[in-house]
């Protein structure tokens, strides 16, 4: 379990153990007050004082023991329950009339603290064991138990088992959630690595394969080997979606394997970054950049990821539409979000082509664009009509992009 899982478990269990510690102290005070205001009925008050003194010293001295499941050991639980049972069984010795009336025992409801400790430590089975011993001790102490005695015993038994069961369910839910968080973190890391590989290694391999095939001779063999490595690497980063037997020649040169022009920097300034400076290199003879007059400030990581997504979108323009196509980048800085739109006048993307490319492991749009925006808490919307160009709208919420 990672740090987040451990912290989550502590956040659930720690309040329960704290509540148990407070309960033990309060019920000790309650048992002492019962004796103080009813000591006239005790034939042997010294026995009651002795039992309560042991309970007080034990409760205060062992408060750290009920701070967590790790510190609440089995020996502690055994001694704690033994003190509670002894106090119950010694009640008739201090109060000779205890067996003829339904008054409280010497430990009174302090005994429930021992049962709750069993429930928090070991679940409903441990709670059932401890509450059963307490039930037997109460029945023996009464001699001739009444219906109220059986009622109280049954109530404690059912309640303790229910609490133990709830604790087990909570722990199982914590483990499941912790595992889900681990899987989510691993998935996000894999997607991040896949984007980095797509933006660099895969695109270089694809370029080597195409140039080698065009040049022929020894270069063709080099291109073939580069194509094989490209296919194997795509299969790895896409989770095995690409069959290993697929040949490089079967991979068409599309927007998903175009060389990236913008690569996000691995490190940068700690303060906010002006998105305009990262997008400025995109502008050229056939790429028009329209931006606000004021700086568009974002957190460094968010700005670099958004710029990389724009770079991936421009790569798609070049691959789909060719070098003759024109593209326009529009940056909009709103109070609650930053929107970057990339539009081209190319032939557009055929219906179903993106899904087909993703199924083949060519994750340019899925990872380099949508994946990046998803990790930033934003969204990427793509609109393409064959013969009418393509428009990609990248939106990043201000509250998430600035963190």
């Amino acid at each position: 379990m990672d740090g987040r899982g451990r912290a989550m478990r502590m956040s659930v269990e720690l309040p329960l153990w704290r509540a148990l510690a407070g309960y033990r102290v309060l019920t000790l005070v309650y048992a002492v007050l019962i004796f103080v205001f009813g000591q006239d009925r005790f034939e042997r008050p010294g026995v009651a004082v002795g039992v309560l003194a042991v309970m007080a010293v034990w409760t205060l001295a062992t408060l750290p023991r009920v701070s967590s499941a790790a510190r609440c050991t089995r020996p502690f639980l055994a001694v704690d329950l033994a003190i509670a049972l002894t106090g119950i069984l010694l009640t008739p010795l201090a109060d000779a009339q205890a067996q003829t009336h339904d008054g409280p025992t010497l430990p009174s409801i302090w005994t429930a603290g021992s049962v709750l400790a069993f429930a928090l430590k070991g679940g409903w089975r441990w709670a059932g064991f401890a509450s059963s011993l307490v039930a037997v001790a109460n029945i023996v102490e009464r001699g001739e138990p009444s219906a109220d005695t059986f009622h109280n015993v049954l109530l404690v038994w059912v309640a303790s088992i229910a609490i133990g069961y709830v604790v087990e369910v909570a722990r199982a839910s914590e483990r499941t959630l912790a595992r889900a968080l681990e899987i989510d973190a691993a998935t996000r890391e894999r997607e991040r690595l896949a984007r980095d590989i797509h933006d660099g290694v895969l695109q270089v391999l694809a370029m080597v394969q195409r140039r080698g095939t065009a040049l022929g001779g020894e270069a063709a063999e080099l291109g073939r080997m580069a194509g094989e490595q490209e296919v194997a690497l795509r299969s790895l980063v896409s989770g095995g979606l690409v069959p290993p037997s697929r040949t490089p020649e079967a991979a068409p040169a599309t927007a998903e394997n175009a060389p990236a022009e913008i690569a996000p920097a691995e490190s940068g300034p700690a303060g906010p970054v002006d998105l305009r400076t990262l997008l400025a290199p995109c502008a050229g003879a056939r790429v028009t950049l329209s931006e606000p007059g004021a700086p568009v400030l974002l957190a460094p990581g968010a700005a670099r990821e958004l710029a990389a997504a724009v770079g991936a979108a421009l790569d798609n323009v070049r691959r789909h539409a060719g070098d003759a196509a024109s593209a326009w980048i529009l940056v909009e800085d709103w109070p609650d979000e930053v929107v970057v739109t990339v539009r081209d006048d190319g032939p557009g993307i055929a219906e179903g082509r993106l899904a087909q490319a993703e199924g083949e492991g060519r994750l340019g749009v899925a990872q380099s664009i949508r994946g990046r925006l998803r990790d930033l808490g934003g969204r990427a919307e793509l609109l393409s009509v064959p013969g009418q160009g393509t428009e990609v709208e990248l939106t990043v919420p201000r509250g998430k992009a600035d963190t």
Side-chain angles (χ1 to χ4, degrees):
M1 182 180 296
D2 61 9
R4 286 181 300 175
R6 287 192 295 270
M8 187 178 306
R9 178 166 183 169
M10 288 179 59
S11 67
V12 174
E13 289 197 12
L14 190 58
L16 297 177
W17 288 104
R18 288 177 176 172
L20 176 60
Y23 176 87
R24 288 167 64 86
V25 173
L26 291 177
T27 53
L28 171 66
V29 174
Y30 179 73
V32 171
L33 291 177
I34 288 179
F35 168 74
V36 170
F37 290 104
Q39 57 183 321
D40 294 341
R41 62 183 173 83
F42 287 91
E43 287 79 6
R44 299 181 181 86
V47 175
V49 171
V51 170
L52 293 175
V54 171
M55 288 170 50
V57 172
W58 173 257
T59 300
L60 298 178
T62 59
L63 280 179
R65 289 288 185 177
V66 291
S67 61
S68 67
R71 305 192 68 177
C72 185
T73 61
R74 293 188 180 188
F76 163 76
L77 290 174
V79 175
D80 195 58
L81 184 60
I83 293 176
L85 297 177
T86 301
I88 293 174
L89 296 176
L90 288 179
T91 299
L93 185 61
D95 181 9
Q97 305 298 320
Q99 294 183 332
T100 61
H101 60 79
D102 288 330
T105 60
L106 289 176
S108 184
I109 57 176
W110 183 86
T111 306
S114 299
V115 177
L116 291 176
F118 271 82
L120 293 181
K121 174 68 175 181
W124 70 270
R125 293 177 180 83
W126 287 33
F129 169 77
S131 60
S132 296
L133 293 181
V134 170
V136 171
N138 275 284
I139 292 174
V140 171
E141 182 268 335
R142 291 303 179 193
E144 296 181 358
S146 64
D148 289 339
T149 300
F150 284 108
H151 173 77
N152 294 333
V153 165
L154 182 62
L155 181 63
V156 172
W157 190 74
V158 172
S160 62
I161 291 179
I163 293 175
Y165 180 75
V166 169
V167 170
E168 287 190 0
V169 172
R171 285 175 177 164
S173 300
E174 291 166 3
R175 290 192 294 269
T176 301
L177 182 57
R179 178 58 180 161
L181 290 175
E182 291 175 357
I183 294 174
D184 179 69
T187 301
R188 288 182 176 272
E189 179 63 13
R190 181 168 184 163
E191 291 179 351
R192 185 189 67 79
L193 292 175
R195 288 196 299 267
D196 293 343
I197 292 173
H198 174 271
D199 289 344
V201 180
L202 287 176
Q203 296 178 2
V204 170
L205 290 173
M207 182 179 65
V208 171
Q209 182 218 347
R210 293 194 303 273
R211 294 296 300 273
T213 302
L215 292 175
E218 294 183 359
E221 177 63 17
L222 180 61
R224 184 189 66 80
M225 295 173 61
E228 290 177 350
Q229 295 304 313
E230 179 201 358
V231 172
L233 193 53
R234 286 189 187 278
S235 178
L236 177 63
V237 300
S238 61
L241 293 176
V242 181
S245 60
R246 182 174 173 225
T247 61
E249 290 75 15
T254 63
E256 286 70 37
N257 59 15
E261 183 171 301
I262 295 180
E266 293 299 324
S267 60
V273 173
D274 187 357
L275 180 63
R276 301 180 307 167
T277 62
L278 298 181
L279 296 181
C282 300
R286 296 192 175 277
V287 179
T288 302
L289 175 61
S290 300
E291 57 190 24
V296 181
L297 299 179
L298 289 174
R304 289 194 295 269
E305 288 293 281
L306 184 53
V310 172
L314 291 176
D315 287 339
N316 285 346
V317 173
R318 284 189 291 272
R319 294 304 304 167
H320 278 289
D323 294 335
S326 297
W328 295 265
I329 304 173
L330 173 63
V331 181
E332 300 175 273
D333 188 10
W334 300 99
D336 56 345
E337 63 185 12
V338 175
V339 181
V340 180
T341 305
V342 180
R343 183 170 58 85
D344 67 76
D345 59 359
I349 302 174
E351 184 177 357
R353 176 68 190 112
L354 291 179
Q356 178 186 355
E358 186 173 348
E360 294 172 349
R362 318 186 77 79
L363 305 177
V365 174
Q367 297 290 7
S368 292
I369 299 180
R370 289 175 178 159
R372 281 190 164 95
L373 270 293
R374 183 179 63 248
D375 288 349
L376 295 177
R379 64 184 185 276
E381 299 179 359
L382 187 147
L383 176 63
S384 181
V385 178
Q388 300 182 23
T390 302
E391 180 176 303
V392 179
E393 184 177 275
L394 311 174
T395 304
V396 178
R398 270 281 181 205
K400 297 184 179 180
D402 292 338
T403 58

